[in-house]
């Protein structure tokens, strides 16, 4: 775990020490580091100061004139967002351990160098962020690698330019906006951008804004203090703080409530956040990637998204095309996804036949790559090792001299032309007759989708000779 070496600028630190000389020396050192120390010499002073403000950190001696600092921890005087470090003399380690059991983040044994104080504070902060990230990731499955394919070569070139901008502006990179239909791989592309960029060794935090209730979105993103709302029995840092120094990916950003959008604009423009129930602004260094399945410009036009936030997010924008517009990539994409699924299920020698590949290319894939992945996993579970996807419509006869032909060799296209729509209607009618009006079976015989067949039934003038209803 990488520990930051500098204190957050302007952070407020309570220094509780009954020795005036040592207290002034510690406070002076913290001021040099850019912090704002506030001094107290007794438990009573510490209680009074902690009641009026929420400190970022607290440094307290264990033994004070009016009692033990352990009382402050037992009484939960400090917020869970306050990093507490206790000071103790040699031989009182047992009390220091008890302090950590009660919530202190670390302890220092006197005498110590003032430089050790900042190290102890930032070690606690790094540990807290790591725990927040771990709790957020605990229910998230491992993500596969993004697959580009030949048709996304222009997109790859555009992304390289985005990465070059990020390398040049490493300390303040502009946000990236990814637009594309559901299932096109926006979250995978966001992870690819993080891994390929200069922050690859720093945290990557992803959150689906569409899954956040309005009353919890601000708390999850920006954190909250104890008592900020009814159920806030403990303070907690938000995902912006957890992603500090790394990347925060906001999927379906258009789902955020107006108040959350306002706070997000401040975070993007100024690099500062404020926890719910908090009074101080906290500086964060986050590389933001946002994604939406509906163009944000449309949401702005209907009043569903802030125009000023849209312009901030739209500086670097990429669009992922739907899978139906890159059918040539489907065989290689399917093989890539299949390899990952087979590894997960510990299966070997899984292949897709030529007929299966043709069937996959014939599908509309309205759910895009995500739907394709689900179809591949279903095929592995119920079949294999050679997958031909016989249950899918759209089978094509294999090319070659022995391939069957439905056309009468004696037929020639008339010079005056003919009605291809009438031919399609007759073929659909015959397929329905042969299958007892079963749409799925008829579509399989014709090599088309059920949706195409249902469209013809509704708009193509297809006639049926019998009254039985069409079945699925």
């Amino acid at each position: 775990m990488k520990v930051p070496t500098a204190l957050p600028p302007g952070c407020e630190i309570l220094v509780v020490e009954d020795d005036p000389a040592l207290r002034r020396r510690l406070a002076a050192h913290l001021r040099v580091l850019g912090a704002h120390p506030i001094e107290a010499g007794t438990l009573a002073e510490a209680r009074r100061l902690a009641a009026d403000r929420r400190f970022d950190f607290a440094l307290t001696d264990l033994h004070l004139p009016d009692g033990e600092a352990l009382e402050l921890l037992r009484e939960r005087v400090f917020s869970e967002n306050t990093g507490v470090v206790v000071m103790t003399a040699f031989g009182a380690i047992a009390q220091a351990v008890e302090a950590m059991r009660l919530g202190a983040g670390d302890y220092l044994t006197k005498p110590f160098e003032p430089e050790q104080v900042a190290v102890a504070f930032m070690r606690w902060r790094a540990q807290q962020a790591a725990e927040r990230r771990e709790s957020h990731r605990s229910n998230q499955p491992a993500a596969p690698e993004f697959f580009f394919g030949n048709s996304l070569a222009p997109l790859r070139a555009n992304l390289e330019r985005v990465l070059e901008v990020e390398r040049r502006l490493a300390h303040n990179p502009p946000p990236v906006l990814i637009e594309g239909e559901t299932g096109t791989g926006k979250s995978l592309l966001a992870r690819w951008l993080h891994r390929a960029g200069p922050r690859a060794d720093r945290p990557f935090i992803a959150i689906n804004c569409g899954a956040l209730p309005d009353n919890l979105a601000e708390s999850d993103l920006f954190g909250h203090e104890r008592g900020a709302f009814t159920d806030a029995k403990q303070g907690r840092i938000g995902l912006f703080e957890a992603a500090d120094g790394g990347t925060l990916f906001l999927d379906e950003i258009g789902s955020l409530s107006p108040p959350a959008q306002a706070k997000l604009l401040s975070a993007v423009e100024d690099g500062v956040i404020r926890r719910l129930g908090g009074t101080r602004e906290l500086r964060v260094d986050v590389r933001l990637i946002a994604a939406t399945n509906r163009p944000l410009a449309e949401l702005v036009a209907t009043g569903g998204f802030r125009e000023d936030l849209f312009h901030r997010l739209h500086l670097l924008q990429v669009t992922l095309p739907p899978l139906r517009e890159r059918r040539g990539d489907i065989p290689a994409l399917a093989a890539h996804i299949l390899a990952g699924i087979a590894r997960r299920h510990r299966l070997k020698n899984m292949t897709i036949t030529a007929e299966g590949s043709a069937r996959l290319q014939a599908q509309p894939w309205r759910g895009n790559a995500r739907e394709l992945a689900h179809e591949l996993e279903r095929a592995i579970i119920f079949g294999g090792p050679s997958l031909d996807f016989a249950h899918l419509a759209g089978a094509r006869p294999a090319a070659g001299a022995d391939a069957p032909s439905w056309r009468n060799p004696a037929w020639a296209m008339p010079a005056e032309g003919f009605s291809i729509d009438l031919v399609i209607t007759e073929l659909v009618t015959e397929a329905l007759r042969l299958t007892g009006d079963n749409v799925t079976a008829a579509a399989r015989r014709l090599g088309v989708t059920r949706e195409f067949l249902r469209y013809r039934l509704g708009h193509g003038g297809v006639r049926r000779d019998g009254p039985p209803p069409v079945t699925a």
Side-chain angles (χ1 to χ4, degrees), residues 405-461:
S405 174
W406 59 270
R407 185 170 66 87
N408 185 338
W411 181 85
M413 185 177 294
E416 66 277 12
F418 71 102
S419 173
I420 191 170
D421 192 66
L422 180 59
V423 173
I424 293 174
T425 297
E426 290 178 352
L427 287 171
V428 170
T429 302
E430 178 66 7
L432 289 168
R433 185 187 68 80
L434 292 173
T435 59
D437 280 345
N438 186 298
V439 173
T440 299
R444 187 178 299 120
R445 286 207 176 201
L446 292 168
V448 297
T449 65
R450 289 195 311 166
E451 288 75 11
F452 171 83
L453 210 53
R454 289 187 183 280
Y455 175 82
R456 295 294 306 184
L457 292 173
H459 304 279

Side-chain angles (χ1 to χ4, degrees), residues 181-184 322-327 330-331 333-334 356-376 378 389 391-393 449 451:
E181 294 181 5
T182 298
T184 49
L323 194 54
R324 61 183 174 274
E325 294 180 7
R326 41 188 294 237
R327 292 186 182 277
I330 289 178
L333 174 60
S357 183
R359 286 189 174 101
L360 293 179
Q361 284 184 282
Q363 300 308 301
W365 300 121
R366 290 177 178 80
N368 294 294
R370 182 178 297 151
E371 182 187 357
L372 174 62
H374 291 165
E375 187 60 54
L376 288 165
R378 183 162 46 242
F389 304 96
H391 62 289
L392 295 179
T449 65
E451 288 75 11

Side-chain angles (χ1 to χ4, degrees), residues 173-176 240 247-250 253 264 268 286-290 313:
V176 174
F240 263 92
T247 299
L248 179 62
F249 172 54
L250 302 181
I253 192 171
L264 179 59
V268 173
V286 171
R287 198 267 195 275
L288 187 68
I289 302 178
L313 297 175

Side-chain angles (χ1 to χ4, degrees), residues 18 25 40 45 65 77 82 106 126 156 164 166 197 199 210 272-273 283 293 302 308 373 405:
D18 61 326
R25 180 184 172 207
E45 285 184 87
V77 168
T82 300
D106 207 344
R156 179 71 177 265
E164 177 56 32
E166 183 177 358
R199 301 189 178 208
V272 295
I273 62 168
R283 185 157 295 280
N293 64 0
T302 58
D308 47 5
S405 174

Side-chain angles (χ1 to χ4, degrees), residues 128-140 205 242:
Q128 190 185 41
E131 290 174 359
R132 180 70 174 94
R133 291 193 296 269
E134 189 59 35
S135 67
H136 176 69
R137 284 195 296 249
S138 59
N139 296 322
Q140 295 184 353
I205 301 293

